[in-house]
Amino acid sequence: GGRFENVKDVFELTLYADEQADMHGKRLLLVDDVMTTGATLISAAKVLVSLRPAELFACVLART
């Protein structure tokens, strides 16, 4: 839908290569204040998956 198109490719990693390597095999937590469709979380998670974490969790404070 439209919301998914609005957040497509809006996230990017700004870590140096050695910082990115430090994330490999770690547990990462993605926090979002409000979730409506989940599009923002999905878009951000797609970028974080490139770090090859052992696990990726999401925490949402409120849902509308």
Side-chain angles (χ1 to χ4, degrees):
R3 179 72 177 134
F4 283 88
E5 285 300 315
N6 289 344
V7 295
K8 184 179 179 186
D9 300 325
V10 297
F11 295 101
E12 66 178 309
L13 291 173
T14 58
L15 301 171
Y16 294 107
D18 59 335
E19 293 172 319
Q20 290 184 28
D22 286 343
M23 298 294 123
H24 175 70
K26 301 284 176 66
R27 293 181 182 139
L28 301 181
L29 175 62
L30 177 59
V31 179
D32 196 359
D33 56 351
V34 178
M35 183 177 83
T36 303
T37 64
T40 302
L41 280 174
I42 291 169
S43 183
K46 285 181 180 179
V47 173
L48 292 175
V49 165
S50 70
L51 296 172
R52 298 180 305 154
E55 296 176 292
L56 177 57
F57 300 93
C59 176
V60 175
L61 303 177
R63 180 149 193 222
T64 61

